[in-house]
Amino acid sequence: MKLVIDARLINASGIGTYIKNVIPDIISEFKTVTVLGNKNEIAVFDWSKEVQIIEFNSEMYSLKGQFLYPFKIPKCDVFWCPHFNFPIFPIRAKKKAVTIHDVNHLTGISPMSFLKRKYAFLLYKNAVQKADLIFTVSEFSKNEIIKHTDASLEKIKVVYCGVDVPFFEKGKESAIQLPENYILYIGNVKPHKNLIVLLKAYHSLSTILKEKYKLLIVGKKEGFITEDNQVENYIKANHLEKNIIFSGQVRDQDLPVYYQKASLFVFPSLYEGFGLPILEALAAKTPVISSNAASLPKVGGNAVVYFNPKNEEELAQKISFALENPGFNAQIVDNSKTQLEKFTWNKSVKRHLEGFNTILNSINNNK
């Protein structure tokens, strides 16, 4: 059986982590695998020697990419797109699968223009209609997909993401210069990530706490369909430049150090299909305060302290309490082992393969 995967987002943040962790074990189950993407980016992985790589560098969401799709995708049994940017035009695949992580662009949370939202809606609708199998990462996202696209329930298979606990638990010695004490946020700087509430909560902390703890923001700031301009404006207006550090996007191998050395990890998002950074922080034994929105309570379970993402005063109180009561933090971290056992990449791969086998069996049954 031949599988083709669109891996153009392999170095994106959350989706990239998902792709990198499930591909190695998935490709081992197929006779022939072809991967679309940047050859130089893909060639760094050991498993790249086991696949054919077709150069495909068109930007995601672009019309050019859509026109090129049919020419890039060779004849195959299954084509899998791990993102909702699914081919519009016919392709030479007997069966088609897509992963839709969330439908954030359709909810109104992201301040997209009417035309961009309409284009996103068309892409989502195209994906759910043409795919034979829809993977998604949580029950929350499954319900959202059905609500906003009228997708067929029978097509959707929930497959949780996982976390490589030893990777985040052990980490490596690093020459990275980090503040002595800091509160950490990891994720892209987009409006639905709700960083403005974290900034307001941080600003309202006591002078003593702000002097002792910096706020370190790790993630990409520019180049999105939607960018969060109010974050930088708030920092300047409230003279927080000396307190807040933007590291930009960092290498995967450096992430454990950022988590491990943090005094606290805060995840204020309004909307997440899954919420992988929560598991990464827990694996690094870093206390977590998270928004109680969307899928996040399911991911964090009893190992996380939650707050209303629209209430910066509540967040400020919980940050203060966590920083001033390390014994409480230790108790929360103790709860993380049970939670982490629920989410492994091995379980995720197994569920993916179950889905692929279902549609592959339908090919055989139709012969």
Side-chain angles (χ1 to χ4, degrees):
M1 288 291 182
K2 183 171 183 179
L3 171 69
V4 177
I5 306 169
D6 182 351
R8 283 180 290 164
L9 288 177
I10 198 163
N11 283 329
S13 51
I15 294 177
T17 299
Y18 161 76
I19 294 171
K20 282 179 276 198
N21 280 280
V22 299
I23 275 186
D25 290 324
I26 285 176
I27 64 174
S28 66
E29 298 297 318
F30 285 83
K31 183 177 180 180
T32 307
V33 177
T34 301
V35 176
L36 312 182
N38 183 297
K39 287 186 178 180
N40 292 330
E41 291 182 353
I42 295 169
V44 302
F45 300 102
D46 292 339
W47 52 261
S48 66
K49 301 177 183 63
E50 303 172 29
V51 304
Q52 176 191 10
I53 304 171
I54 294 178
E55 191 77 23
F56 190 24
N57 292 317
S58 296
E59 291 184 9
M60 300 300 291
Y61 311 110
S62 69
L63 289 174
K64 179 182 177 181
Q66 286 292 343
F67 283 120
L68 288 176
Y69 245 146
F71 302 99
K72 294 290 183 178
I73 300 171
K75 187 177 180 181
C76 59
D77 296 292
V78 179
F79 169 72
W80 173 38
C81 182
H83 185 266
F84 72 89
N85 188 56
F86 193 81
I88 293 173
F89 303 109
I91 58 174
R92 293 169 291 170
K94 294 177 183 177
K95 295 292 179 179
K96 299 174 281 291
V98 65
T99 301
I100 299 178
H101 298 262
D102 60 53
V103 291
N104 171 52
H105 299 316
L106 306 183
T107 63
I109 292 176
S110 291
M112 298 172 69
S113 68
F114 172 79
L115 288 177
K116 286 180 178 178
R117 186 173 287 113
K118 188 68 175 177
Y119 183 51
F121 176 73
L122 291 174
L123 288 177
Y124 278 112
K125 288 288 284 187
N126 173 68
V128 301
Q129 288 174 356
K130 293 183 179 175
D132 301 287
L133 171 65
I134 303 167
F135 293 119
T136 194
V137 294
S138 63
E139 290 291 336
F140 169 79
S141 280
K142 180 183 78 172
N143 294 332
E144 287 285 281
I145 291 167
I146 294 169
K147 174 183 174 181
H148 290 281
T149 69
D150 294 323
S152 170
L153 177 63
E154 290 72 25
K155 285 185 179 183
I156 302 176
K157 187 174 186 66
V158 175
V159 180
Y160 296 134
C161 293
V163 64
D164 184 349
V165 173
F167 175 72
F168 287 97
E169 194 173 47
K170 295 177 181 177
K172 294 180 180 179
E173 287 299 319
S174 173
I176 299 169
Q177 296 297 313
L178 293 169
E180 184 177 353
N181 301 294
Y182 60 93
I183 301 162
L184 178 66
Y185 165 83
I186 291 184
N188 293 324
V189 181
K190 296 180 179 179
H192 76 276
K193 297 293 187 179
N194 201 31
L195 269 173
I196 190 66
V197 162
L198 175 53
L199 292 176
K200 290 177 178 178
Y202 179 80
H203 182 48
S204 69
L205 296 178
S206 68
T207 302
I208 293 174
L209 283 179
K210 286 203 292 286
E211 287 178 353
K212 183 175 180 180
Y213 297 93
K214 303 288 187 184
L215 175 57
L216 178 57
I217 298 173
V218 176
K220 188 178 175 183
K221 290 174 65 178
E222 293 93 14
F224 302 116
I225 294 177
T226 56
E227 294 182 6
D228 197 343
N229 298 318
Q230 63 176 336
V231 165
E232 201 157 346
N233 293 336
Y234 185 87
I235 292 170
K236 290 178 180 178
N238 292 281
H239 311 292
L240 292 171
E241 292 91 342
K242 292 182 179 179
N243 301 82
I244 297 175
I245 302 167
F246 285 93
S247 73
Q249 199 164 1
V250 303
R251 300 182 305 170
D252 289 347
Q253 59 263 42
D254 293 330
L255 276 176
V257 176
Y258 283 86
Y259 280 116
Q260 290 169 0
K261 294 188 175 181
S263 301
L264 181 67
F265 176 73
V266 181
F267 202 58
S269 186
L270 291 167
Y271 191 96
E272 294 290 328
F274 190 75
L276 194 52
I278 289 177
L279 294 184
E280 294 173 346
L282 293 178
K285 293 184 167 57
T286 299
V288 178
I289 297 178
S290 169
S291 154
N292 62 8
S295 62
L296 300 180
K298 176 71 174 180
V299 175
N302 294 327
V304 169
V305 173
Y306 299 98
F307 73 99
N308 179 342
K310 297 182 180 179
N311 189 336
E312 62 264 24
E313 292 179 3
E314 181 188 359
L315 176 56
Q317 290 170 2
K318 292 190 173 182
I319 290 174
S320 297
F321 186 83
L323 295 177
E324 294 168 350
N325 294 272
F328 173 77
N329 294 342
Q331 182 182 347
I332 294 297
V333 170
D334 284 344
N335 295 335
S336 65
K337 183 179 178 182
T338 301
Q339 193 63 15
L340 290 169
E341 288 173 350
K342 299 176 184 177
F343 303 101
T344 70
W345 288 118
N346 285 338
K347 290 179 180 178
S348 182
V349 168
K350 182 179 178 182
R351 294 279 289 169
H352 279 87
L353 291 174
E354 288 172 356
F356 287 132
N357 284 333
T358 298
I359 55 177
L360 287 170
N361 288 337
S362 69
I363 294 176
N364 296 329
N365 294 336
N366 290 331
K367 285 182 179 179

